[in-house]
Amino acid sequence: MTNQDLISIIVPVYNMARWLDRCIQSLTNQTYTTLEIILVDDGSTDNSLQLCKQYAKQDPRIIVINKENGGQGSARNSALDIAHGQYIGFVDPDDWIALDMYAYMLNLLQQEHADIVQIGWIETNTGIIPPTDISKEQKCYKNREALSLLIQSSNKLNTSVCNKLFNTQILKNLRFTEVRAYEDDEFVYKAVWRASKIITDNTPKYFYFIRGNSTMTAKFNLNKLALLTIQKNICDFIQENIPEYFNVQERNLCSKQFYILYNLIANKELDKQKTYRMQIEAALNRSYLTYMRNPQMGLNKIMLWIWKYTPYIIWSNILKLKFNRKR
């Protein structure tokens, strides 16, 4: 091992005092010890910052950044700006990891001369790891094949940054879009495109704690409008770099527009002036002819026609039926 084998682990922290001990201890007790642990307090109003500083006093590998609240993407970017590692990992502060996770991923990444390694995870809403019986499976992908999996929402490759280890070389000048949700998606798409080789291994070593009020599991709120910003950014990125996948990604964007439209209708109190609803409808209207010419649009074409040519009471109820059925 050399200094070039340093792994920088980035943890964005916002009001996570209740779970922070479990997370940080799983990092400081890693069997792989050549680590730089960057804890970014994103304007917490509980005692998260004090806990971070206490751990930094105990472990010289820990760096604490204190910044005004700007969301996860902003917090991660501030850490990326100062990270020294040859490799970058991300952990969310309410989750924790197996003690050999980074040793396992680094060995796999170096052994396979890969740029990204994705490990398996286990979801829990109790903090107790349930028993698993998983047959180990490893796969190797080139960037185009991996992007195809992302676009098709394959379960073989996901858009979380937390169960991955990245070679820093592919992350140069790559930063998260500073929105309040879904920022992982765009980042992973762009990182995968820069990678020459991506390895997936389904061995579960990341433990994802499901909280009812977390960013992604909380009831719909206006922060989740960021989904449309991120999907549009991905669409533009795909069109510029891998145009053969653009039609499928454009279909994904259209589907997300209808999904957000449904949620705004179902939660009228969040959009009393119908401002966001009208913005999405205007975007659908601008793209209507393009969408209808897209051979990959599928059933979205039917929904587009219904939306454009039937009264609100009809298409809004069809939207409710469509998305309620998926819940």
Side-chain angles (χ1 to χ4, degrees), residues 280-296:
I280 296 170
E281 290 194 53
L284 285 169
N285 196 50
R286 287 193 301 271
S287 301
Y288 180 80
L289 292 177
T290 303
Y291 283 173
M292 294 301 279
R293 288 193 293 263
N294 185 335
Q296 296 291 335

Side-chain angles (χ1 to χ4, degrees), residues 38-284:
I38 307 176
L39 307 177
V40 186
D41 184 81
D42 191 37
S44 294
T45 57
D46 65 359
N47 66 329
S48 292
L49 178 60
Q50 287 75 16
L51 285 173
C52 290
K53 289 180 176 179
Q54 287 174 19
Y55 274 103
K57 289 179 181 179
Q58 299 166 14
D59 193 324
R61 298 174 300 172
I62 294 177
I63 299 168
V64 178
I65 297 174
N66 180 23
K67 61 182 289 295
E68 291 183 2
N69 181 257
Q72 258 190 167
S74 171
R76 288 169 173 165
N77 286 342
S78 65
L80 283 170
D81 289 342
I82 68 162
H84 298 97
Q86 177 62 32
Y87 306 98
I88 300 286
F90 299 89
V91 176
D92 281 346
D94 47 349
D95 301 334
W96 73 105
I97 62 176
L99 298 184
D100 66 341
M101 187 181 91
Y102 282 112
Y104 188 90
M105 287 203 292
L106 181 60
N107 180 66
L108 189 55
L109 187 144
Q110 293 181 333
Q111 190 176 64
E112 297 294 334
H113 303 287
D115 290 312
I116 301 174
V117 170
Q118 173 183 287
I119 203 70
W121 68 26
I122 294 176
E123 296 181 355
T124 174
N125 57 8
T126 64
I128 299 172
I129 303 170
T132 58
D133 183 19
I134 298 174
S135 298
K136 182 175 179 178
E137 182 180 22
Q138 280 185 10
K139 294 287 185 181
C140 172
Y141 303 102
K142 298 297 184 183
N143 59 357
R144 283 182 179 270
E145 185 181 7
L147 271 172
S148 178
L149 293 175
L150 290 175
I151 291 167
Q152 296 173 48
S153 300
S154 168
N155 59 9
K156 295 178 181 179
L157 188 65
N158 59 56
T159 55
S160 171
V161 295
C162 290
N163 64 334
K164 295 175 177 64
L165 184 64
F166 300 87
N167 187 323
T168 305
Q169 294 302 311
I170 69 166
L171 302 185
K172 283 185 177 178
N173 302 317
L174 179 59
R175 294 294 183 267
F176 291 87
T177 297
E178 296 190 3
V179 291
R180 296 283 179 167
Y182 303 106
E183 68 281 351
D184 284 25
D185 296 12
E186 181 183 351
F187 188 92
V188 170
Y189 269 72
K190 291 180 177 179
V192 163
W193 177 239
R194 294 178 176 200
S196 60
K197 192 175 185 180
I198 300 97
I199 303 294
T200 63
D201 182 314
N202 67 339
T203 307
K205 292 185 179 294
Y206 190 95
F207 308 123
Y208 174 39
F209 184 50
I210 302 174
R211 295 182 294 113
N213 62 342
S214 70
T215 301
M216 297 312 299
T217 61
K219 184 180 176 182
F220 182 81
N221 56 69
L222 293 182
N223 286 341
K224 296 196 175 186
L225 292 173
L227 178 62
L228 300 185
T229 300
I230 294 299
Q231 286 296 314
K232 181 62 167 62
N233 290 351
I234 292 172
C235 225
D236 293 342
F237 169 75
I238 295 295
Q239 186 175 33
E240 179 180 353
N241 294 283
I242 322 103
E244 62 267 34
Y245 294 156
F246 175 71
N247 284 341
V248 176
Q249 184 57 40
E250 189 179 58
R251 180 192 68 198
N252 293 342
L253 173 60
C254 179
S255 296
K256 303 304 184 187
Q257 287 170 320
F258 278 126
Y259 169 72
I260 295 295
L261 192 58
Y262 153 74
N263 275 288
L264 289 173
I265 292 169
N267 298 275
K268 290 184 174 66
E269 71 282 0
L270 297 177
D271 190 24
K272 293 179 181 178
Q273 304 302 317
K274 302 179 184 177
T275 304
Y276 300 111
R277 177 187 142 188
M278 288 190 293
Q279 288 175 0
I280 296 170
E281 290 194 53
L284 285 169

